[in-house]
């Protein structure tokens, strides 16, 4: 598809994908990106559950500006992640989020070491929000859902 006919979200996902070509790095990202998203929500949840909900809603507003379809998927992902946090004993959320956060980021950096390219967010912090769309976009394409 020509650049002029692509949606902004497709361009962002393609730019993100440029540093995620190695198949091992892709698998690591498909696992670690949602996990990191969950840990970020967990860190906010540990301050106050409504803060995690508010952060999710702000991200969803951004996703809505990019793609209604992907926003729906991210809404489901966010709801599941918040539901898991709700189900956990309150005193587990912070320590579990920190430990899983560190492990998932180690995985990410191993993936980028194998890739031979630095993480996309070093160039543009927006890519911290595009990473989950990269994963979800892959699933959408497999299921032939529109982006």
């Amino acid at each position: 598809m020509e650049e002029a006919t692509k949606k902004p979200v497709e361009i962002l996902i393609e730019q993100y994908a440029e540093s995620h070509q190695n198949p091992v790095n892709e698998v690591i990202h498909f696992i670690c990106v949602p996990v990191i998203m969950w840990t970020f929500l967990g860190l906010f949840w540990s301050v106050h559950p409504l803060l995690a909900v508010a952060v999710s809603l702000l991200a969803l507003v951004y996703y809505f500006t990019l793609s209604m379809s992907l926003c729906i998927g991210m809404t489901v992902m966010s709801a599941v992640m918040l539901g898991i946090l709700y189900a956990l004993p309150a005193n587990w959320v912070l320590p579990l989020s920190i430990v899983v956060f560190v492990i998932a980021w180690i995985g990410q950096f191993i993936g980028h070491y194998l890739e031979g390219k630095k993480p996309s967010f070093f160039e543009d912090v927006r890519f911290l929000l595009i990473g989950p769309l990269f994963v979800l976009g892959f699933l959408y394409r497999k299921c032939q859902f529109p982006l």
Side-chain angles (χ1 to χ4, degrees):
M1 187 181 296
E2 287 186 35
E3 199 77 15
T5 61
K6 290 181 184 174
K7 298 179 191 176
V9 70
E10 293 169 323
I11 294 168
L12 287 167
I13 291 172
E14 284 178 9
Q15 289 171 345
Y16 186 89
E18 288 173 9
S19 60
H20 303 86
Q21 299 295 308
N22 179 294
V24 174
N25 187 29
E26 280 188 341
V27 169
I28 289 170
H29 276 65
F30 291 154
I31 296 166
C32 291
V33 166
V35 169
I36 289 169
M37 181 180 158
W38 179 81
T39 64
F40 270 118
L41 290 176
L43 294 171
F44 289 119
W45 186 279
S46 68
V47 174
H48 195 283
L50 288 178
L51 181 58
V53 172
V55 167
S56 294
L57 290 173
L58 286 173
L60 291 170
V61 168
Y62 175 66
Y63 293 139
F64 181 79
T65 67
L66 294 175
S67 163
M68 168 101 64
S69 174
L70 287 170
C71 181
I72 291 168
M74 291 304 299
T75 300
V76 171
M77 279 181 61
S78 297
V80 168
M81 291 178 182
L82 291 169
I84 292 168
L85 291 167
Y86 178 77
L88 285 173
N91 61 333
W92 288 21
V93 173
L94 182 60
L96 185 60
S97 295
I98 291 170
V99 169
V100 173
F101 179 87
V102 170
I103 292 168
W105 275 107
I106 289 169
Q108 293 281 79
F109 284 109
I110 289 170
H112 279 286
Y113 173 79
L114 296 171
E115 182 82 41
K117 295 182 182 174
K118 61 184 174 182
S120 302
F121 71 87
F122 284 171
E123 298 293 324
D124 186 342
V125 75
R126 283 184 306 170
F127 285 115
L128 287 172
L129 289 169
I130 300 304
L133 296 183
F134 171 73
V135 173
L136 192 58
F138 175 82
L139 294 174
Y140 273 37
R141 286 187 294 283
K142 287 288 184 191
C143 297
Q144 299 181 344
F145 294 155
L147 294 181

